[in-house]
Amino acid sequence: MSAVFDNTARNVAAGDPSPLALGAPGRAIVFDAHGAVPLSRFLCEVRGVAAGLPTAAYVLNLCEDRYRFLVAFCAAAMRGQTTLLPASRAEATVAQVRGQYPDSYCIVEMDAAKDPGAGFHELPQVLPRRDGEIPLIAAEALVAIGFTSGSTGQPTATPKRWRAFTAGTGQNLAALTGLLGSAAADFTTPVVATVPSQHMYGMEMSVLLPLLGPVAVHGSRPFFPADIAMACSDAGAPPLLVTSPVHLRALLQSGVAMPPLAGIVCSTAPLPPELADAAERRYHCHVRELFGSTESCVIARRRTAVESAWTPLPGVCLAPQPDGTRVTAPHLEHPVVLADVVELQPDGRFVLRGRHADLLEIAGKRASLGDLTRILLDVPGVDDGVIVQLEGDQSGVQRIAAVVVAPGMDEATLVQGLRGRCDPVFLPRRVRFVAQLPRNATGKIPRQSLVDILSG
């Protein structure tokens, strides 16, 4: 961690205001194929955009462009507005969040072919600039509210204060030790992220790191493998690729040529060890998996290709309890209880045993939905899929079901492929074949979407 960041973290811990962004005025905060944006220009545009924002308590930042998201987020914070981070940019989700927070508006990128309508603020093609002092943010300022993905139920809101974001960024820098490269001292380590800024993992790795850490982030959010390779080629040095298991699997399967990488960071869903090992061998770098949640942010790391146990980040303490795991950490205002069941090891590391709600017990035998899903994905011919437990029927029996992407396969063939891989009591009683799973931008699947498919 750099001295300037370390000092800022101490000041924020003491309750002092801190700058929106750190580093020398000329250091790059964002880069792309056209070059780099220095911190000085970024702050001028933050002040310019802030001056033109509507008056409101909350704002939904829907910008896809990473740079414009950064500018809009900081401009809102400068105005004392809280950024709402919905789990999806879908119109229904945005409308639901705005209904919960009526004193809100949306920031979007300008689209000449579409009128966004009332309640939307468009960023102009050329961002306005205004000179002035570096904006300071109070440690207790409520700068964001994140929403869980809904993969295990209804999305819930989690408030995030500037103090928590600052402390969490310090921990994330520790989690990335060895991957940021020797250029870290000059604030020039490039990062390319495939995950959206609105997701908490994307927020931590592609927004807060370039603001408060020694990195510059690519301004785009590449999705397809060729776009990822092109964005990585824009970096002046081997970049750190921040991605998800879904994107990493697609990248490997594409066979697209990649430039040298400083490392790969993966999160949002369990990373199969086989996938991590294949990526390390293909791209000749370490793959580091991060463990966290919207409620806790990142709290642990591991090199999945060679480690099964997780190493907690500095100051993180875990305590197993009947309904999951209690987490305390320097960046958390109060302890957070996660649904994940862990097994602590004597050396301080821990092993995940699955989510409490995912653990199954049928006829005296035990399994987890996560393990069953991994078994499903190992069946030849299955491209994608997930195992889910439905709500109990009139008799109270909770059936196991599967939603599967397997072109040309029928239910009998699928079940036969599973039969030799898992106990018969855990075979799905209902199977639905689909062309594509309803994954969101980070690869997660809202539970309600699966229920709708299975009940259709």
Side-chain angles (χ1 to χ4, degrees), residues 174-360:
L176 300 177
T177 298
L179 298 182
L180 291 181
S182 59
D186 299 323
F187 293 88
T188 55
T189 302
V191 166
V192 173
T194 68
V195 291
S197 304
Q198 290 84 357
H199 187 273
M200 195 54 64
Y201 169 52
M203 188 76 184
E204 290 185 83
M205 293 291 131
S206 69
V207 176
L208 296 173
L209 276 185
L211 287 178
L212 300 173
V215 306
V217 67
H218 197 281
S220 70
R221 180 170 73 86
F223 181 83
F224 296 106
D227 297 328
I228 296 173
M230 186 177 299
C232 290
S233 298
D234 291 337
L240 177 67
L241 177 61
V242 174
T243 191
S244 68
V246 169
H247 286 120
L248 185 58
R249 186 186 301 276
L251 189 63
L252 278 167
Q253 291 176 344
S254 73
V256 67
M258 289 287 290
L261 298 175
I264 298 172
V265 177
C266 214
S267 191
T268 73
L271 175 64
E274 300 81 8
L275 180 59
D277 180 65
E280 289 201 351
R281 287 186 284 107
R282 174 80 63 83
Y283 304 123
H284 308 291
C285 66
H286 284 188
V287 176
R288 191 165 298 178
E289 187 177 7
L290 302 181
F291 175 71
S293 67
T294 300
E295 302 92 329
S296 68
C297 293
V298 175
I299 59 172
R301 61 176 177 83
R302 70 175 179 180
R303 185 181 166 198
T304 310
V306 296
E307 295 177 301
S308 60
W310 296 84
T311 300
L313 300 188
V316 173
C317 295
L318 286 77
Q321 55 187 53
D323 57 346
T325 302
R326 183 175 182 267
V327 180
T328 57
H331 65 281
L332 297 177
E333 293 185 37
H334 50 76
V336 169
V337 177
L338 301 180
D340 302 275
V341 177
V342 306
E343 178 183 319
L344 299 182
Q345 298 190 333
D347 62 1
R349 298 188 300 167
F350 66 91
V351 176
L352 278 176
R353 294 306 183 194
R355 285 182 167 245
H356 188 268
D358 289 350
L359 299 180
L360 307 174

